[in-house]
């Protein structure tokens, strides 16, 4: 009687065992990536809010609580989703390899199967043909089903918010993102002593007196080329300089001392005057 070729997982050459290992890794990536989607969407939405300056506008304690909740949810949701799924086994990896290679009759299963069907000679021939097909095994890149997991296309909405927020923030985008991750308790404590004064000086030929602007905001109409002066005092030590925004234009305040800043400029266009520091309005 002729000796039978070896069967079972040990019958696979080391190269094929490695290929099976990577097939399981590819399948695992396809399963795990959709599980990361909820956390990624949450982080993206918070980053977009940070670009708009919304978290920074909250009191320090509320900002910190919101940031902690977002981080916990962004970590906890993927862990919960991954915990619920079943990672692929060797049989799933073999099916993936067969499908990716265009092979029929599951040659990997035949080679590793310990059961014999029919006569020894016929089974040995079947195994031999299956082993010959193993040379054609190929592996393709992961194809995660993100679109199925996100059937409402929320990722497109988050990307749109990020792009819009980046356009609004302009050159201040990095500072706003940092501020969104850094609750400012010092500014909250210094709130009662914080003083903002702003006034507009019309051109001399108009003979109009200076117009004091209320810190709470409001709409005013002034002649073109009027000058605006804004001073901000009562900031904590080592505070970063504020920025004046007029439409899409940005200009840093001049430093008067460790706690005070001031800016002077002419108004050549209409728009909303906004004073920001680290993304906070």
């Amino acid at each position: 009687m002729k000796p039978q070729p070896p069967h079972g997982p040990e019958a696979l050459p080391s190269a094929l065992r490695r290929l099976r290992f990577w097939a399981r890794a590819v399948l695992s990536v396809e399963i795990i990536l959709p599980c990361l989607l909820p956390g990624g969407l949450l982080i993206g939405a918070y980053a977009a809010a940070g670009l708009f300056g919304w978290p920074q506008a909250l009191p320090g304690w509320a900002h910190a609580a919101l940031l902690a909740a977002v981080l916990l949810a962004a970590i906890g949701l993927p862990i919960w989703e991954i915990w619920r799924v079943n990672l692929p086994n060797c049989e799933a990896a073999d099916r993936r390899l067969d499908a990716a290679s265009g092979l029929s009759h599951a040659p990997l299963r035949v080679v590793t199967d310990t059961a014999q069907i029919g006569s020894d000679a016929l089974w040995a021939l079947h195994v031999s043909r299956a082993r010959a097909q193993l040379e054609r095994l190929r592996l393709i890149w992961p194809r995660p089903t993100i679109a199925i997991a996100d059937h409402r296309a929320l990722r497109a909405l988050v990307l749109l918010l990020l792009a819009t927020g980046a356009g609004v923030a302009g050159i201040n985008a990095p500072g706003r993102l940092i501020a969104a991750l850094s609750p400012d308790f010092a500014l909250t404590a210094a709130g009662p002593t914080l003083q903002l004064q702003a006034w507009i000086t019309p051109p001399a030929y108009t003979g109009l007196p200076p117009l004091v602007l209320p810190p709470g905001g409001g709409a005013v109409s002034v002649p073109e080329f009027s000058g605006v002066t804004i001073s901000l005092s009562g900031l904590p030590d080592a505070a970063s300089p504020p920025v004046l925004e007029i439409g899409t234009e940005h200009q840093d305040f001049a430093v008067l001392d460790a706690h005070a800043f001031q800016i002077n400029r002419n108004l050549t266009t209409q728009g909303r005057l906004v004073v920001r520091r680290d993304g906070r309005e």
Side-chain angles (χ1 to χ4, degrees), residues 10-24:
E10 67 279 358
L12 292 176
S14 59
L16 291 179
R17 288 199 295 270
R18 287 195 298 270
L19 197 59
R20 174 189 269 180
F21 168 81
W22 286 114
R24 293 182 67 180

Side-chain angles (χ1 to χ4, degrees), residues 2-185:
K2 294 183 179 181
Q4 299 295 324
H7 289 36
E10 67 279 358
L12 292 176
S14 59
L16 291 179
R17 288 199 295 270
R18 287 195 298 270
L19 197 59
R20 174 189 269 180
F21 168 81
W22 286 114
R24 293 182 67 180
V26 166
L27 288 172
S28 298
V29 169
E30 292 181 354
I31 293 174
I32 292 175
L33 277 183
C35 296
L36 303 179
L37 181 63
L41 290 176
L42 193 57
I43 292 175
Y46 184 81
L51 290 172
F52 284 106
W54 296 336
Q56 301 91 306
L58 297 173
W61 64 269
H63 185 181
L66 176 62
L67 178 60
V70 169
L71 292 179
L72 287 175
I75 296 173
L77 286 176
I79 292 177
W80 171 251
E81 293 292 332
I82 294 173
W83 182 266
R84 298 168 56 191
V85 301
N86 295 321
L87 294 180
N89 53 22
C90 290
E91 293 181 2
D94 292 349
R95 289 194 297 269
R96 177 58 177 268
L97 287 171
D98 290 338
S101 306
L103 301 180
S104 58
H105 308 299
L108 269 173
R109 182 177 179 182
V110 171
V111 172
T112 57
D113 196 353
T114 56
Q116 296 188 12
I117 304 175
S119 66
D120 291 343
L122 288 177
W123 180 250
L125 179 61
H126 186 45
V127 172
S128 177
R129 290 176 176 175
R131 293 179 68 85
Q133 292 188 69
L134 297 183
E135 300 296 330
R136 296 161 51 193
L137 286 178
R138 297 292 183 269
L139 186 62
I140 61 177
W141 289 99
R143 296 175 297 182
T145 55
I146 299 295
I148 297 177
D150 183 24
H151 58 277
R152 291 187 175 88
L154 294 178
R155 63 192 186 283
L157 175 61
V158 171
L159 289 175
L160 177 62
L161 289 174
L162 284 170
T164 306
V168 170
I171 61 174
N172 293 319
R176 291 193 185 184
L177 290 176
I178 294 174
L181 299 174
S182 309
D184 194 345
F185 298 100

